[in-house]
Amino acid sequence: MEPTDVNRRMFDEVHRRAGEGRAALPAIVKQTLGDLTGKNVLHLHCGSGEGSAELAELGAVVTAIEPDETLLEYARERWPSILWIPADAQALPANLLRGRFDLVYSPEGVVERLGDVDAWAAGLAAAVRQQGELLVFDDHPVSLCVDGLLRWHADYFDDGIVRLGRVATALARAGFTIRALEEYPVDPAGRRHDRRIPGSFLLYAIRS
């Protein structure tokens, strides 16, 4: 499911259109994932569950985690066939650390909230089986340092910023082999930034 020139072009085309009615899973994510029939998928910080439901529609057996119990209650009512677990991406419960998932999907909003990038990466490595896959699609850390007028309001090299290099290094140290790392001029919601500033990134890796 490695990103290709085709899905990169698809990403640009989709996000030329208005963002109204945007699906829970961004188009580039659905294109990259493809058919998930029979795969065990762990969805991090699933929110109110729409993205998890779309993963299930792609054929996956989905386990979804979310630290907000209110959102999980809503998700359970709508999609009772999905396993919903209250948990944080940096501290996965022991029953998820058994190397049984074929794929882990880390969506928008996870990376910027990480206080311990190494703990997050180690947890993912313990959750996914050998040769299992990881897909991260999130806000680009640089975009979080500028406002809508491209004025810098934060130092990208401040210790509080989860830089892209830190993410890649932590995953490599945890045992992942990064196969693709792409950057895009729109954020995960499809809003276009100035093309000089990356808005989102997609990282695809395999558990060695």
Side-chain angles (χ1 to χ4, degrees):
M1 70 174 196
E2 239 177 279
T4 64
D5 289 338
V6 172
N7 64 38
R8 289 171 197 143
R9 288 195 296 270
M10 178 182 179
F11 181 93
D12 289 336
E13 178 59 32
V14 166
H15 290 288
R16 288 192 186 98
R17 301 194 289 269
E20 294 182 2
R22 182 174 60 89
L25 289 181
I28 187 63
V29 170
K30 294 180 74 171
Q31 175 71 15
T32 302
L33 291 175
D35 183 14
L36 296 177
T37 300
K39 289 189 175 182
N40 287 315
V41 175
L42 176 61
H43 185 191
L44 306 182
H45 289 213
C46 63
S48 53
E50 288 81 1
S52 301
E54 288 194 31
L55 290 170
E57 289 174 3
L58 293 174
V61 178
V62 182
T63 298
I65 70 163
E66 167 59 45
D68 188 329
E69 280 277 14
T70 302
L71 293 176
L72 283 184
E73 288 177 10
Y74 174 82
R76 287 190 187 103
E77 289 179 3
R78 294 189 66 188
W79 300 287
S81 63
I82 293 174
L83 178 59
W84 309 97
I85 298 176
D88 186 89
Q90 297 174 98
L92 297 178
N95 63 323
L96 298 183
L97 303 178
R98 297 175 179 171
R100 67 182 180 86
F101 292 101
D102 301 297
L103 166 71
V104 176
Y105 171 51
S106 183
E108 173 188 2
V110 173
V111 169
E112 67 178 292
R113 294 197 295 263
L114 293 177
D116 189 336
V117 182
D118 291 323
W120 169 76
L124 302 188
V128 74
R129 64 173 176 78
Q130 190 171 14
Q131 298 303 306
E133 301 169 293
L134 168 67
L135 185 69
V136 181
F137 183 64
D138 212 324
D139 293 291
H140 197 291
V142 169
S143 71
L144 302 175
C145 297
V146 298
D147 63 19
L149 298 176
L150 297 184
R151 295 176 301 201
W152 290 85
H153 59 77
D155 180 354
Y156 182 64
F157 292 99
D158 185 274
D159 287 342
I161 300 295
V162 182
R163 297 184 300 277
L164 199 52
R166 289 179 62 194
V167 171
T169 298
L171 291 172
R173 287 175 175 170
F176 286 97
T177 299
I178 296 173
R179 295 288 183 84
L181 178 57
E182 298 292 339
E183 300 166 288
Y184 303 104
V186 296
D187 67 13
R191 295 181 292 265
R192 185 173 292 279
H193 291 259
D194 185 293
R195 294 190 67 89
R196 294 170 294 176
I197 300 292
S200 58
F201 75 94
L202 183 149
L203 182 151
Y204 171 68
I206 299 288
R207 177 71 170 92
S208 303

